[in-house]
Amino acid sequence: METLDSTTSVGLIACCECGLPIQPNSANMCSGCLRSKIDITEGISRTCTIYICKFCQRYFVPPNGWMRAELESKELLSICLKKMKPSLMKVRLTDACFVWTEAHSKRIKVKMTVQKEVFSSTILQQTFVVEFTVHNQMCDDCRRSEAKDFWRACVQAHSQCTGVKPVPTGIDFFFAKLQEARKLVDFLLMVLPCKYHYAQRKAGHGFVSKKHGLADVWLVRSNQVGSIFEN
């Protein structure tokens, strides 16, 4: 007795646009005709703007960060893709790479490949190039430095018996970061017999800044302050 082969094969159909034999799909169209009818990159901008600080050469990373990155580096690619993230929410990014541009052109080009399911089990893939224009924008750190308002903490090391310029009774150290000032205070306490007093005052009261932001100040007193800085 012969057995019947129950294996079924899927027949081909003709594309409704060009007549090319294809596997059946919900659109009844070949991939070429689908791409000509549907643009999965619609709504994705082909131009964008990123910012670099011309003083420290760091790129702006939203919402308020700055990062140093070399041209055509993975760090710079990450910055560009983060800038494009809102536009890529409806597609899946599968590949991204730089397209060569002149180093001084203030232009960065990134070729991106995206995919999107347009019908059931029908996925389209497209490749496009986004051009980023690089604009100059001063970062917060450089802006404070240029405005002579770069310090957030101060250590005043004063002596009772000798003077060290530029302060008649000692020397003042200004820091952009609080933890750097604390390290100096810890060092002075370790190497000198001294006492310190901590307070907060308006930075604008000194000669460094005219703004009225609060700054952390340590006043360190020791009769050996002059000797350690002379050495």
Side-chain angles (χ1 to χ4, degrees), residues 25-27 29-31 34-35 37-41 90-91 115-126:
N25 58 58
S26 56
M29 284 191 292
C30 65
S31 58
L34 276 174
R35 282 193 292 269
K37 296 290 184 180
I38 302 174
D39 182 14
I40 64 174
T41 65
K90 296 182 179 180
V91 296
Q115 292 180 347
K116 183 179 181 180
E117 185 175 3
V118 292
F119 296 105
S120 178
S121 302
T122 303
I123 298 176
L124 286 185
Q125 177 174 295
Q126 284 184 245

Side-chain angles (χ1 to χ4, degrees), residues 95-138:
D95 187 40
C97 62
F98 287 103
V99 178
W100 184 86
T101 55
E102 288 285 349
H104 303 289
S105 65
K106 293 291 186 178
R107 297 290 188 274
I108 298 173
K109 293 184 179 181
V110 179
K111 183 171 68 173
M112 303 182 186
T113 302
V114 296
Q115 292 180 347
K116 183 179 181 180
E117 185 175 3
V118 292
F119 296 105
S120 178
S121 302
T122 303
I123 298 176
L124 286 185
Q125 177 174 295
Q126 284 184 245
T127 300
F128 59 98
V129 175
V130 179
E131 182 178 280
F132 295 84
T133 304
V134 183
H135 288 179
N136 290 328
Q137 177 177 309
M138 192 180 297

Side-chain angles (χ1 to χ4, degrees), residues 34-191:
L34 276 174
R35 282 193 292 269
S36 65
K37 296 290 184 180
I38 302 174
D39 182 14
I40 64 174
T41 65
E42 184 179 2
I44 301 177
S45 176
R46 299 300 196 275
T47 59
C48 197
T49 302
I50 59 176
Y51 298 93
I52 185 174
C53 177
K54 65 178 181 179
F55 292 95
C56 62
Q57 295 299 305
R58 293 186 300 172
Y59 289 90
F60 177 64
V61 182
N64 53 9
W66 292 85
M67 183 171 70
R68 194 179 306 276
E70 299 294 333
L71 287 176
E72 299 192 5
S73 64
K74 62 179 182 180
E75 291 82 9
L76 183 56
L77 183 60
S78 173
I79 293 173
C80 294
L81 294 181
K82 285 182 180 179
K83 189 72 175 181
M84 292 293 298
K85 187 176 181 179
S87 301
L88 301 175
M89 296 296 291
K90 296 182 179 180
V91 296
R92 184 167 69 93
L93 181 67
T94 60
D95 187 40
C97 62
F98 287 103
V99 178
W100 184 86
T101 55
E102 288 285 349
H104 303 289
S105 65
K106 293 291 186 178
R107 297 290 188 274
I108 298 173
K109 293 184 179 181
V110 179
K111 183 171 68 173
M112 303 182 186
T113 302
V114 296
Q115 292 180 347
K116 183 179 181 180
E117 185 175 3
V118 292
F119 296 105
S120 178
S121 302
T122 303
I123 298 176
L124 286 185
Q125 177 174 295
Q126 284 184 245
T127 300
F128 59 98
V129 175
V130 179
E131 182 178 280
F132 295 84
T133 304
V134 183
H135 288 179
N136 290 328
Q137 177 177 309
M138 192 180 297
C139 69
D140 294 337
D141 293 338
C142 292
R143 184 182 295 111
R144 286 194 296 266
S145 179
E146 288 295 311
K148 306 303 180 184
D149 182 29
F150 58 89
W151 65 285
R152 285 294 174 268
C154 173
V155 177
Q156 298 177 323
H158 288 194
S159 172
Q160 297 176 350
C161 63
T162 185
V164 179
K165 293 182 179 180
V167 181
T169 59
I171 187 169
D172 291 352
F173 298 89
F174 297 94
F175 298 92
K177 296 181 180 179
L178 184 62
Q179 57 267 30
E180 294 175 352
R182 286 176 174 169
K183 288 181 180 179
L184 178 59
V185 173
D186 293 339
F187 170 74
L188 293 175
L189 293 176
M190 181 177 62
V191 299

Side-chain angles (χ1 to χ4, degrees), residues 16-29:
C16 64
E17 291 289 333
C18 64
L20 185 72
I22 59 171
Q23 293 285 346
N25 58 58
S26 56
N28 293 329
M29 284 191 292

